[in-house]
Amino acid sequence: MALEVSEKLGLEPLNANINAVRTRLERVAKDGRAQRPGRGLYTVAAQGAGSGT
């Protein structure tokens, strides 16, 4: 998933770029703005999740 996202963002497929995207995805999931239904899979969180509402 991180490789696919980095490609969609137009980043070169370097390990540093892929790791940066992976880290960002993990943080977004931890913040509640995304859900992680499985290893390497991320989806947008339900409306209002993580926003204190």
Side-chain angles (χ1 to χ4, degrees):
M1 178 69 159
L3 174 60
E4 293 173 18
V5 172
S6 62
E7 288 174 347
K8 295 287 184 184
L9 292 173
L11 301 173
E12 293 184 45
L14 303 173
N15 282 338
N17 291 340
I18 296 166
N19 288 335
V21 169
R22 183 177 293 118
T23 299
R24 177 58 63 189
L25 288 169
E26 290 171 359
R27 287 181 183 166
V28 168
K30 184 178 178 182
D31 290 346
R33 295 181 285 163
Q35 294 176 338
R36 187 177 177 207
R39 184 175 181 207
L41 301 174
Y42 294 88
T43 61
V44 177
Q47 187 86 15
S51 64
T53 60

Short mmCIF file of all heavy atoms in Angstrom, two decimals:
data_model
loop_
_atom_site.label_atom_id
_atom_site.label_comp_id
_atom_site.label_asym_id
_atom_site.label_seq_id
_atom_site.Cartn_x
_atom_site.Cartn_y
_atom_site.Cartn_z
N MET A 1 0.82 -1.19 0.00
CA MET A 1 0.00 0.00 0.00
C MET A 1 0.86 1.26 0.00
O MET A 1 0.59 2.17 -0.75
CB MET A 1 -0.93 -0.03 1.21
CG MET A 1 -1.79 1.18 1.34
SD MET A 1 -2.99 1.24 0.04
CE MET A 1 -4.19 2.28 0.72
N ALA A 2 1.88 1.32 0.82
CA ALA A 2 2.71 2.52 0.89
C ALA A 2 3.40 2.77 -0.45
O ALA A 2 3.52 3.92 -0.87
CB ALA A 2 3.75 2.40 2.01
N LEU A 3 3.81 1.72 -1.12
CA LEU A 3 4.43 1.87 -2.44
C LEU A 3 3.41 2.44 -3.42
O LEU A 3 3.72 3.37 -4.16
CB LEU A 3 4.96 0.53 -2.94
CG LEU A 3 5.50 0.52 -4.37
CD1 LEU A 3 6.65 1.49 -4.52
CD2 LEU A 3 5.92 -0.88 -4.76
N GLU A 4 2.20 1.93 -3.40
CA GLU A 4 1.15 2.42 -4.30
C GLU A 4 0.84 3.89 -4.03
O GLU A 4 0.69 4.67 -4.97
CB GLU A 4 -0.12 1.59 -4.14
CG GLU A 4 0.03 0.16 -4.61
CD GLU A 4 -1.19 -0.68 -4.27
OE1 GLU A 4 -2.26 -0.12 -3.99
OE2 GLU A 4 -1.06 -1.91 -4.30
N VAL A 5 0.75 4.26 -2.77
CA VAL A 5 0.45 5.65 -2.41
C VAL A 5 1.59 6.56 -2.86
O VAL A 5 1.36 7.62 -3.44
CB VAL A 5 0.19 5.80 -0.90
CG1 VAL A 5 0.08 7.26 -0.50
CG2 VAL A 5 -1.06 5.04 -0.51
N SER A 6 2.83 6.14 -2.62
CA SER A 6 3.96 6.98 -3.01
C SER A 6 4.01 7.15 -4.53
O SER A 6 4.32 8.23 -5.02
CB SER A 6 5.28 6.42 -2.47
OG SER A 6 5.55 5.15 -3.00
N GLU A 7 3.65 6.11 -5.27
CA GLU A 7 3.60 6.22 -6.73
C GLU A 7 2.52 7.20 -7.16
O GLU A 7 2.73 8.03 -8.04
CB GLU A 7 3.36 4.86 -7.37
CG GLU A 7 4.55 3.93 -7.28
CD GLU A 7 4.24 2.52 -7.78
OE1 GLU A 7 3.04 2.18 -7.95
OE2 GLU A 7 5.20 1.76 -7.99
N LYS A 8 1.34 7.12 -6.54
CA LYS A 8 0.23 8.03 -6.85
C LYS A 8 0.59 9.48 -6.53
O LYS A 8 0.11 10.40 -7.18
CB LYS A 8 -1.04 7.65 -6.09
CG LYS A 8 -1.60 6.32 -6.46
CD LYS A 8 -2.25 6.37 -7.81
CE LYS A 8 -2.90 5.02 -8.10
NZ LYS A 8 -3.48 4.96 -9.42
N LEU A 9 1.45 9.67 -5.52
CA LEU A 9 1.90 11.01 -5.17
C LEU A 9 3.02 11.51 -6.07
O LEU A 9 3.46 12.65 -5.95
CB LEU A 9 2.37 11.04 -3.71
CG LEU A 9 1.29 10.83 -2.66
CD1 LEU A 9 1.91 10.70 -1.28
CD2 LEU A 9 0.30 11.99 -2.69
N GLY A 10 3.49 10.66 -6.96
CA GLY A 10 4.55 11.05 -7.89
C GLY A 10 5.94 10.98 -7.29
O GLY A 10 6.88 11.56 -7.83
N LEU A 11 6.10 10.25 -6.18
CA LEU A 11 7.40 10.12 -5.54
C LEU A 11 8.19 8.99 -6.19
O LEU A 11 7.61 8.01 -6.68
CB LEU A 11 7.23 9.81 -4.05
CG LEU A 11 6.47 10.84 -3.23
CD1 LEU A 11 6.23 10.33 -1.82
CD2 LEU A 11 7.19 12.17 -3.21
N GLU A 12 9.49 9.13 -6.19
CA GLU A 12 10.33 8.06 -6.71
C GLU A 12 10.22 6.85 -5.78
O GLU A 12 10.09 7.01 -4.56
CB GLU A 12 11.79 8.51 -6.79
CG GLU A 12 12.02 9.59 -7.83
CD GLU A 12 13.48 9.94 -7.95
OE1 GLU A 12 14.32 9.02 -8.00
OE2 GLU A 12 13.79 11.15 -7.97
N PRO A 13 10.27 5.64 -6.32
CA PRO A 13 10.12 4.44 -5.48
C PRO A 13 11.38 4.12 -4.68
O PRO A 13 11.97 3.05 -4.80
CB PRO A 13 9.80 3.35 -6.50
CG PRO A 13 10.45 3.81 -7.75
CD PRO A 13 10.36 5.31 -7.74
N LEU A 14 11.80 5.05 -3.86
CA LEU A 14 12.96 4.87 -3.00
C LEU A 14 12.48 4.39 -1.63
O LEU A 14 11.39 4.75 -1.18
CB LEU A 14 13.72 6.19 -2.84
CG LEU A 14 14.21 6.85 -4.13
CD1 LEU A 14 14.79 8.22 -3.82
CD2 LEU A 14 15.24 5.98 -4.83
N ASN A 15 13.31 3.60 -0.97
CA ASN A 15 12.94 3.10 0.36
C ASN A 15 12.60 4.24 1.32
O ASN A 15 11.66 4.11 2.11
CB ASN A 15 14.05 2.24 0.94
CG ASN A 15 14.07 0.85 0.35
OD1 ASN A 15 13.06 0.38 -0.18
ND2 ASN A 15 15.20 0.18 0.42
N ALA A 16 13.33 5.33 1.25
CA ALA A 16 13.08 6.46 2.16
C ALA A 16 11.69 7.04 1.92
O ALA A 16 10.97 7.37 2.87
CB ALA A 16 14.14 7.54 1.98
N ASN A 17 11.28 7.17 0.66
CA ASN A 17 9.96 7.71 0.34
C ASN A 17 8.86 6.76 0.79
O ASN A 17 7.85 7.17 1.34
CB ASN A 17 9.83 7.98 -1.16
CG ASN A 17 10.70 9.13 -1.62
OD1 ASN A 17 11.12 9.95 -0.83
ND2 ASN A 17 10.98 9.17 -2.91
N ILE A 18 9.05 5.48 0.53
CA ILE A 18 8.05 4.48 0.90
C ILE A 18 7.90 4.42 2.42
O ILE A 18 6.79 4.37 2.94
CB ILE A 18 8.42 3.10 0.31
CG1 ILE A 18 8.38 3.18 -1.22
CG2 ILE A 18 7.49 2.02 0.83
CD1 ILE A 18 9.04 2.01 -1.91
N ASN A 19 9.00 4.46 3.13
CA ASN A 19 8.95 4.43 4.60
C ASN A 19 8.28 5.68 5.16
O ASN A 19 7.55 5.61 6.14
CB ASN A 19 10.35 4.26 5.18
CG ASN A 19 10.89 2.87 4.99
OD1 ASN A 19 10.13 1.91 4.84
ND2 ASN A 19 12.20 2.73 4.96
N ALA A 20 8.52 6.84 4.53
CA ALA A 20 7.89 8.08 4.97
C ALA A 20 6.38 8.00 4.79
O ALA A 20 5.61 8.41 5.66
CB ALA A 20 8.46 9.27 4.21
N VAL A 21 5.93 7.45 3.66
CA VAL A 21 4.50 7.29 3.41
C VAL A 21 3.91 6.30 4.41
O VAL A 21 2.83 6.53 4.97
CB VAL A 21 4.23 6.86 1.95
CG1 VAL A 21 2.79 6.43 1.76
CG2 VAL A 21 4.59 7.97 0.99
N ARG A 22 4.60 5.21 4.65
CA ARG A 22 4.12 4.21 5.60
C ARG A 22 3.96 4.82 6.99
O ARG A 22 2.94 4.60 7.67
CB ARG A 22 5.10 3.03 5.65
CG ARG A 22 4.66 1.91 6.56
CD ARG A 22 5.62 0.74 6.52
NE ARG A 22 5.58 0.10 5.20
CZ ARG A 22 6.62 0.02 4.36
NH1 ARG A 22 7.79 0.53 4.70
NH2 ARG A 22 6.49 -0.57 3.20
N THR A 23 4.92 5.59 7.42
CA THR A 23 4.87 6.25 8.72
C THR A 23 3.69 7.21 8.80
O THR A 23 2.97 7.24 9.80
CB THR A 23 6.19 6.99 9.02
OG1 THR A 23 7.25 6.04 9.02
CG2 THR A 23 6.13 7.72 10.34
N ARG A 24 3.48 7.97 7.74
CA ARG A 24 2.37 8.92 7.71
C ARG A 24 1.02 8.19 7.78
O ARG A 24 0.12 8.59 8.49
CB ARG A 24 2.45 9.79 6.46
CG ARG A 24 1.30 10.77 6.29
CD ARG A 24 1.16 11.74 7.43
NE ARG A 24 2.34 12.56 7.53
CZ ARG A 24 2.60 13.39 8.54
NH1 ARG A 24 1.74 13.51 9.52
NH2 ARG A 24 3.68 14.11 8.56
N LEU A 25 0.90 7.10 7.03
CA LEU A 25 -0.34 6.32 7.07
C LEU A 25 -0.60 5.79 8.47
O LEU A 25 -1.75 5.81 8.95
CB LEU A 25 -0.28 5.17 6.06
CG LEU A 25 -0.38 5.54 4.59
CD1 LEU A 25 -0.03 4.35 3.72
CD2 LEU A 25 -1.76 6.07 4.27
N GLU A 26 0.42 5.31 9.14
CA GLU A 26 0.27 4.80 10.50
C GLU A 26 -0.18 5.91 11.45
O GLU A 26 -1.04 5.69 12.30
CB GLU A 26 1.58 4.19 10.99
CG GLU A 26 1.93 2.89 10.29
CD GLU A 26 3.32 2.38 10.60
OE1 GLU A 26 4.06 3.04 11.38
OE2 GLU A 26 3.67 1.32 10.08
N ARG A 27 0.37 7.11 11.29
CA ARG A 27 -0.01 8.24 12.14
C ARG A 27 -1.45 8.66 11.89
O ARG A 27 -2.19 8.97 12.83
CB ARG A 27 0.92 9.43 11.92
CG ARG A 27 2.28 9.22 12.50
CD ARG A 27 3.16 10.42 12.28
NE ARG A 27 4.49 10.16 12.79
CZ ARG A 27 5.54 10.90 12.51
NH1 ARG A 27 5.43 11.95 11.72
NH2 ARG A 27 6.72 10.59 13.01
N VAL A 28 -1.86 8.68 10.63
CA VAL A 28 -3.22 9.06 10.29
C VAL A 28 -4.20 8.05 10.90
O VAL A 28 -5.25 8.43 11.42
CB VAL A 28 -3.39 9.17 8.76
CG1 VAL A 28 -4.84 9.28 8.36
CG2 VAL A 28 -2.60 10.36 8.23
N ALA A 29 -3.86 6.78 10.86
CA ALA A 29 -4.71 5.75 11.45
C ALA A 29 -4.75 5.90 12.97
O ALA A 29 -5.82 5.79 13.59
CB ALA A 29 -4.21 4.36 11.06
N LYS A 30 -3.62 6.18 13.57
CA LYS A 30 -3.57 6.35 15.03
C LYS A 30 -4.40 7.56 15.47
O LYS A 30 -5.03 7.53 16.52
CB LYS A 30 -2.12 6.52 15.48
CG LYS A 30 -1.94 6.60 16.96
CD LYS A 30 -0.49 6.70 17.36
CE LYS A 30 -0.35 6.82 18.87
NZ LYS A 30 1.05 6.98 19.27
N ASP A 31 -4.40 8.61 14.66
CA ASP A 31 -5.18 9.82 14.96
C ASP A 31 -6.68 9.62 14.75
O ASP A 31 -7.47 10.48 15.10
CB ASP A 31 -4.74 10.99 14.08
CG ASP A 31 -3.35 11.50 14.43
OD1 ASP A 31 -2.83 11.15 15.51
OD2 ASP A 31 -2.79 12.26 13.61
N GLY A 32 -7.06 8.50 14.13
CA GLY A 32 -8.47 8.23 13.91
C GLY A 32 -9.01 8.76 12.60
O GLY A 32 -10.20 8.68 12.34
N ARG A 33 -8.16 9.32 11.76
CA ARG A 33 -8.62 9.84 10.47
C ARG A 33 -8.68 8.76 9.41
O ARG A 33 -9.20 8.98 8.32
CB ARG A 33 -7.72 10.99 10.02
CG ARG A 33 -7.83 12.20 10.96
CD ARG A 33 -6.97 13.33 10.52
NE ARG A 33 -5.58 13.00 10.83
CZ ARG A 33 -4.53 13.61 10.31
NH1 ARG A 33 -4.70 14.56 9.43
NH2 ARG A 33 -3.31 13.26 10.65
N ALA A 34 -8.13 7.60 9.71
CA ALA A 34 -8.18 6.45 8.81
C ALA A 34 -8.33 5.20 9.66
O ALA A 34 -8.04 5.22 10.86
CB ALA A 34 -6.92 6.36 7.95
N GLN A 35 -8.79 4.14 9.03
CA GLN A 35 -8.89 2.86 9.71
C GLN A 35 -7.96 1.88 9.03
O GLN A 35 -7.70 1.99 7.83
CB GLN A 35 -10.32 2.34 9.65
CG GLN A 35 -11.28 3.20 10.42
CD GLN A 35 -12.70 2.73 10.27
OE1 GLN A 35 -13.05 2.04 9.33
NE2 GLN A 35 -13.54 3.12 11.22
N ARG A 36 -7.47 0.93 9.79
CA ARG A 36 -6.55 -0.07 9.27
C ARG A 36 -7.21 -1.45 9.40
O ARG A 36 -7.04 -2.12 10.41
CB ARG A 36 -5.23 -0.02 10.02
CG ARG A 36 -4.18 -0.91 9.44
CD ARG A 36 -2.88 -0.74 10.19
NE ARG A 36 -1.91 -1.68 9.64
CZ ARG A 36 -0.90 -2.16 10.31
NH1 ARG A 36 -0.70 -1.79 11.55
NH2 ARG A 36 -0.09 -3.01 9.75
N PRO A 37 -7.98 -1.86 8.37
CA PRO A 37 -8.68 -3.14 8.47
C PRO A 37 -7.78 -4.36 8.34
O PRO A 37 -8.19 -5.46 8.69
CB PRO A 37 -9.68 -3.08 7.31
CG PRO A 37 -9.08 -2.13 6.35
CD PRO A 37 -8.29 -1.14 7.16
N GLY A 38 -6.57 -4.18 7.88
CA GLY A 38 -5.64 -5.29 7.73
C GLY A 38 -4.24 -4.77 7.50
O GLY A 38 -4.03 -3.57 7.31
N ARG A 39 -3.29 -5.66 7.52
CA ARG A 39 -1.90 -5.28 7.34
C ARG A 39 -1.71 -4.60 5.98
O ARG A 39 -2.02 -5.16 4.94
CB ARG A 39 -1.01 -6.51 7.42
CG ARG A 39 0.45 -6.19 7.33
CD ARG A 39 1.29 -7.41 7.54
NE ARG A 39 2.69 -7.04 7.48
CZ ARG A 39 3.65 -7.84 7.12
NH1 ARG A 39 3.37 -9.09 6.81
NH2 ARG A 39 4.90 -7.42 7.08
N GLY A 40 -1.24 -3.37 6.02
CA GLY A 40 -0.98 -2.62 4.80
C GLY A 40 -2.21 -2.06 4.12
O GLY A 40 -2.11 -1.47 3.05
N LEU A 41 -3.37 -2.19 4.76
CA LEU A 41 -4.61 -1.69 4.17
C LEU A 41 -5.13 -0.53 5.02
O LEU A 41 -5.19 -0.62 6.24
CB LEU A 41 -5.66 -2.80 4.12
CG LEU A 41 -5.30 -4.04 3.33
CD1 LEU A 41 -6.38 -5.09 3.49
CD2 LEU A 41 -5.09 -3.69 1.86
N TYR A 42 -5.52 0.52 4.36
CA TYR A 42 -6.06 1.69 5.05
C TYR A 42 -7.30 2.17 4.33
O TYR A 42 -7.38 2.11 3.11
CB TYR A 42 -5.02 2.82 5.09
CG TYR A 42 -3.82 2.48 5.92
CD1 TYR A 42 -2.74 1.82 5.36
CD2 TYR A 42 -3.76 2.82 7.27
CE1 TYR A 42 -1.63 1.48 6.12
CE2 TYR A 42 -2.66 2.48 8.04
CZ TYR A 42 -1.60 1.82 7.46
OH TYR A 42 -0.52 1.48 8.21
N THR A 43 -8.28 2.64 5.10
CA THR A 43 -9.48 3.23 4.54
C THR A 43 -9.77 4.53 5.30
O THR A 43 -9.28 4.74 6.41
CB THR A 43 -10.71 2.31 4.69
OG1 THR A 43 -10.94 2.07 6.08
CG2 THR A 43 -10.49 0.99 3.98
N VAL A 44 -10.55 5.38 4.68
CA VAL A 44 -10.94 6.64 5.33
C VAL A 44 -11.85 6.29 6.49
O VAL A 44 -12.75 5.46 6.36
CB VAL A 44 -11.65 7.55 4.32
CG1 VAL A 44 -12.13 8.83 5.00
CG2 VAL A 44 -10.73 7.89 3.16
N ALA A 45 -11.62 6.94 7.61
CA ALA A 45 -12.44 6.70 8.81
C ALA A 45 -13.84 7.27 8.60
O ALA A 45 -14.04 8.17 7.78
CB ALA A 45 -11.79 7.32 10.03
N ALA A 46 -14.78 6.79 9.37
CA ALA A 46 -16.14 7.29 9.33
C ALA A 46 -16.15 8.78 9.65
O ALA A 46 -15.31 9.26 10.41
CB ALA A 46 -17.01 6.52 10.31
N GLN A 47 -17.11 9.49 9.09
CA GLN A 47 -17.25 10.94 9.32
C GLN A 47 -17.25 11.26 10.80
O GLN A 47 -17.98 10.64 11.57
CB GLN A 47 -18.55 11.43 8.70
CG GLN A 47 -18.72 12.91 8.72
CD GLN A 47 -18.08 13.59 7.54
OE1 GLN A 47 -17.73 12.95 6.56
NE2 GLN A 47 -17.91 14.88 7.60
N GLY A 48 -16.42 12.20 11.20
CA GLY A 48 -16.38 12.63 12.59
C GLY A 48 -15.46 11.84 13.48
O GLY A 48 -15.18 12.25 14.59
N ALA A 49 -14.95 10.71 13.04
CA ALA A 49 -14.06 9.91 13.88
C ALA A 49 -12.76 10.66 14.11
O ALA A 49 -12.19 11.24 13.21
CB ALA A 49 -13.77 8.57 13.21
N GLY A 50 -12.32 10.67 15.34
CA GLY A 50 -11.06 11.31 15.68
C GLY A 50 -11.14 12.82 15.81
O GLY A 50 -10.18 13.47 16.12
N SER A 51 -12.32 13.41 15.56
CA SER A 51 -12.43 14.85 15.62
C SER A 51 -13.07 15.33 16.91
O SER A 51 -13.33 16.51 17.06
CB SER A 51 -13.24 15.37 14.42
OG SER A 51 -14.56 14.90 14.48
N GLY A 52 -13.35 14.38 17.82
CA GLY A 52 -13.93 14.76 19.09
C GLY A 52 -15.43 14.94 19.04
O GLY A 52 -16.04 15.45 19.95
N THR A 53 -16.07 14.52 17.94
CA THR A 53 -17.53 14.65 17.81
C THR A 53 -18.20 13.33 18.00
O THR A 53 -17.66 12.30 17.87
CB THR A 53 -17.94 15.22 16.44
OG1 THR A 53 -17.47 14.35 15.42
CG2 THR A 53 -17.41 16.61 16.25
#
